[in-house]
Amino acid sequence: MNLLSTWIAALLIVPATLLPILNPLGKVPVVAALVAGQPPQIHRRLARQVAVNCWFLMMGAYLIGSHVLAFFNLSLAVVQLAGGILIAVAGWRMLSDQQDDTIQKAVASTCEQGWSEETLKVRSFYPISFPLSVGPGTISAAITLGASTPTRLKDWLLTVSAAVLGSFIAVLAIYLCYRHAARLVALLGRLGTIIVLRLSAFILFCIGIDIAWRGVTEMLGQLPK
């Protein structure tokens, strides 16, 4: 019974830690803009591919993230700074791109042909999977969780198996939100969608600045006094 309760606790801590950072519902307007005009089957395939990508990113960070950083002699602060800059740049581009009002055009557009398989794979990874969905904040949290796993084989297997299932719960939320992104955005209407997308772009820019600033602050704190 004690073993089961330990496993359940390890299972719950992963989605409880990662889901608030992932915030898939808050990313819905941005995802809807990126896939606007694509047929429903592309939305389904994209959501599935993004979920798979995010699971591998999170589990990779959980299992080997700390070892990779140690191998390249990098700190979490550097990861936060670089990832924050990427997110901020993506948000700034959405905010500053006024040519033909890209967002409005995306919301209003229709498309007879869907993306090719190659295009879908590329766009599902960047920018949707990384850094929009699994960004430096999620990677940092996953690395921290992975670094605290026990060293004894039996306990390690127990904890990792719980983490695998826990991360699956997290990416299931991503899949459901992204799969129905167009439907959720449609409830807002065209004008509401454009407003939410602009606000989401600004929030995305702010998130990037915040993550980068945390990295800078941590690096400054490591300087010798």
Side-chain angles (χ1 to χ4, degrees):
M1 188 64 181
N2 186 43
L3 196 65
L4 179 61
S5 61
T6 302
W7 186 84
I8 292 175
L11 167 66
L12 295 178
I13 195 173
V14 173
T17 302
L18 298 182
L19 273 176
I21 306 173
L22 289 167
N23 188 21
L25 193 59
K27 313 288 176 52
V28 161
V30 180
V31 173
L34 293 173
V35 297
Q38 297 299 315
Q41 60 267 28
I42 293 296
H43 289 237
R44 288 194 298 269
R45 289 167 58 197
L46 181 80
R48 183 171 62 248
Q49 187 63 52
V50 169
V52 171
N53 292 342
C54 290
W55 186 86
F56 276 106
L57 284 170
M58 287 188 291
M59 287 309 300
Y62 181 90
L63 294 173
I64 64 172
S66 58
H67 303 292
V68 171
L69 292 183
F71 179 80
F72 289 103
N73 196 26
L74 296 174
S75 65
L76 283 176
V78 173
V79 175
Q80 289 178 318
L81 176 59
I85 291 173
L86 281 176
I87 294 176
V89 168
W92 177 255
R93 283 177 177 172
M94 292 182 64
L95 277 171
S96 60
D97 188 359
Q98 299 295 329
Q99 186 176 3
D100 296 326
D101 197 345
T102 304
I103 293 179
Q104 183 173 354
K105 184 178 178 181
V107 173
S109 66
T110 56
C111 184
E112 296 297 331
Q113 288 186 332
W115 291 338
S116 67
E117 188 69 25
E118 184 68 22
T119 301
L120 187 143
K121 288 181 179 179
V122 170
R123 296 192 183 184
S124 69
F125 183 79
Y126 182 85
I128 300 178
S129 295
F130 178 85
L132 181 62
S133 301
V134 178
T138 307
I139 291 175
S140 300
I143 291 175
T144 303
L145 288 172
S148 61
T149 54
T151 55
R152 197 172 69 171
L153 181 60
K154 182 181 178 181
D155 296 334
W156 185 86
L157 290 173
L158 186 73
T159 305
V160 169
S161 65
V164 168
L165 186 56
S167 60
F168 175 79
I169 295 173
V171 299
L172 179 61
I174 292 175
Y175 172 79
L176 292 175
C177 288
Y178 292 2
R179 166 68 181 83
H180 301 288
R183 189 175 303 173
L184 292 171
V185 168
L187 296 175
L188 299 172
R190 181 176 176 180
L191 179 60
T193 299
I194 295 171
I195 293 172
V196 170
L197 286 170
R198 290 295 186 192
L199 290 175
S200 298
F202 178 70
I203 292 171
L204 191 65
F205 177 75
C206 292
I207 289 173
I209 296 296
D210 180 65
I211 293 172
W213 177 249
R214 275 186 250 167
V216 170
T217 303
E218 187 171 337
M219 285 189 289
L220 291 176
Q222 296 172 357
L223 293 175
K225 297 180 180 179

